[in-house]
Amino acid sequence: MTTFAAPIVQVRGLDKYFDDLHVLRDIDLDVAAKEVVCIIGRSGSGKSTLLRCLNFLEQPDFGVVEIDGVRVTCGGHSREWRHQVHDLRLKTGMVFQSFNLWGHMTALENVIEGPITVKKMARAEATELGMHNLTKVGLADKAGQYPSRLSGGQQQRVAIARAMTMQPKVMLFDEPTSALDPELVGEVLAVMQKLVEEGMTMMTVTHEMSFARRFADRILFMDNGRFVEIGPPEELFDNPQDERTRQFLSHLHIHQPREHLH
C-alpha cells in the first residue's frame, strides 16, 4: 500500500436532498494526492451524486468541500461564492458515462475549447497541449475527426483528453465505461491505467471490479447515501465486513484483471 501525503480532497458533513429524498448523508472523506479511490455500490446509492457534488454540478445542501486548497461551504449564492466554485472546478476534470462531446467540433476543437474559453489560454498553447493529450490517449491521428466518425471508446478517450487539457489536480470518472460496448471498454481502462501510473489523483465510480481490484488504493462501498465500508481492495473484496457489502459482491463476478490491463 502506498503511503500518501496530506489530503488534496477534503469533504466534511456533505448532505444532498432531491426534494424529500435524502441522497447523501453526512459524508466525510479525505483523498490524498496521487491516491486512486474507486466508489462502488448499487444503483441509486449516491455514488454519481457524490462525484457531481464535489465539483458542484449538483449543489450540495450542507457541508464543506475543499480541493487543492480551494474551500467551498455548501449552500452559498453570493458572487464571491460563485467565484470559489469556479476556482474549485478548475481543480477537477470530469469524465461522464455519456461522452458529452460537441458534435459540431472536431476532436481537437473539443479538447481545446475549455482552456481557451475558461482559462483564457492562447490558442497555440491550447492546441499544443491538446495534441499532447490526444497523443497520450492514442488519438493524435483523429484530431480532425468529428465525434460522429469516432467509436464510443474513441469518443470517451477524447473526453478524457479534454478533461486532462484543463490540467486538473483531481480526475473524477463517473462510470466512464458503462455506455461502451464490451470490446471498447479495454481501450478506455488502458488510458485510465496510464493516468494512475503517472500519479494522477483519481476518484472513480465504476462497475469494473477488475480495474478497482488492481489499481485502487481504497474502495468505498456506498449504500443509501453513506459509506458502509472502506478499505483496500484485497480486504474489501476478499473479506468484506458488512453484510450489505457481502450481498453486493456476491452478485458480481470478481475476478482477476482483464488481459487488456497490462
Side-chain angles (χ1 to χ4, degrees), residues 39-183:
I39 306 167
I40 66 173
R42 294 178 180 83
S43 297
S45 59
K47 309 182 301 297
S48 294
T49 301
L50 172 60
L51 280 198
R52 294 173 67 88
C53 282
L54 292 183
N55 63 3
F56 289 80
L57 287 175
E58 294 284 358
Q59 301 293 341
D61 293 295
F62 303 102
V64 177
V65 178
E66 182 173 330
I67 297 179
D68 194 37
V70 178
R71 181 182 176 92
V72 180
T73 300
C74 303
H77 299 286
S78 67
R79 176 179 293 183
E80 180 184 3
W81 183 85
R82 290 195 295 270
H83 280 306
Q84 290 174 334
V85 169
H86 172 79
D87 291 344
L88 182 140
R89 284 177 175 160
L90 291 177
K91 303 287 188 178
T92 66
M94 185 134 188
V95 178
F96 302 89
Q97 299 177 43
S98 54
F99 322 122
N100 292 0
L101 299 179
W102 290 293
H104 66 288
M105 293 183 177
T106 66
L108 179 60
E109 288 168 344
N110 267 280
V111 167
I112 67 176
E113 178 69 11
I116 291 173
T117 58
V118 178
K119 300 182 91 172
K120 311 303 180 188
M121 189 181 290
R123 178 171 288 271
E125 182 185 356
T127 298
E128 182 178 352
L129 185 59
M131 284 304 302
H132 169 77
N133 283 310
L134 282 173
T135 301
K136 182 180 287 190
V137 302
L139 291 175
D141 60 327
K142 302 293 186 183
Q145 295 279 12
Y146 290 90
S148 61
R149 302 297 300 273
L150 302 175
S151 71
Q154 289 170 336
Q155 290 185 59
Q156 191 62 295
R157 286 188 282 154
V158 171
I160 294 172
R162 178 178 59 183
M164 291 299 298
T165 303
M166 292 296 288
Q167 300 173 300
K169 297 292 187 179
V170 180
M171 283 289 287
L172 308 174
F173 290 90
D174 185 7
E175 299 191 26
T177 61
S178 65
L180 298 177
D181 293 332
E183 67 271 17

Side-chain angles (χ1 to χ4, degrees), residues 172-200:
L172 308 174
F173 290 90
D174 185 7
E175 299 191 26
T177 61
S178 65
L180 298 177
D181 293 332
E183 67 271 17
L184 301 177
V185 169
E187 63 190 62
V188 173
L189 293 181
V191 171
M192 294 173 66
Q193 176 185 344
K194 185 181 295 186
L195 295 179
V196 172
E197 292 166 350
E198 292 175 355
M200 173 58 70

